[in-house]
Amino acid sequence: KGKTKNFPIDKVSPVSGGPFTMGYSWDQKSINGALGDATLASKKIGKAICDEALDNLEQFINEYITY
């Protein structure tokens, strides 16, 4: 099972006072490289995640080029 470290990434911007999320390297977030229980993964779930990500990327690109 994936073990995560306590690594707060949600911050408040000193400029706007609004929330933002800092980037991080994966070794700061995960002890063993997994996030959550990797034994629950399946090809079907992975495909669904990739399909959704690609749909979102396509929508973003289409909106970007028509802006």
Side-chain angles (χ1 to χ4, degrees), residues 30-41:
S30 175
I31 293 169
N32 64 0
L35 185 59
D37 186 354
T39 65
L40 299 175

Side-chain angles (χ1 to χ4, degrees), residues 8-23:
I9 59 171
D10 294 325
K11 304 289 183 188
V12 176
S13 169
V15 176
S16 69
F20 72 96
T21 301
M22 292 177 53

Side-chain angles (χ1 to χ4, degrees), residues 44-59:
K44 181 179 177 182
I45 293 171
K47 182 176 181 336
I49 291 170
C50 288
D51 287 346
E52 182 71 20
L54 289 172
D55 288 345
N56 289 338
L57 179 60
E58 179 182 26
Q59 180 181 350

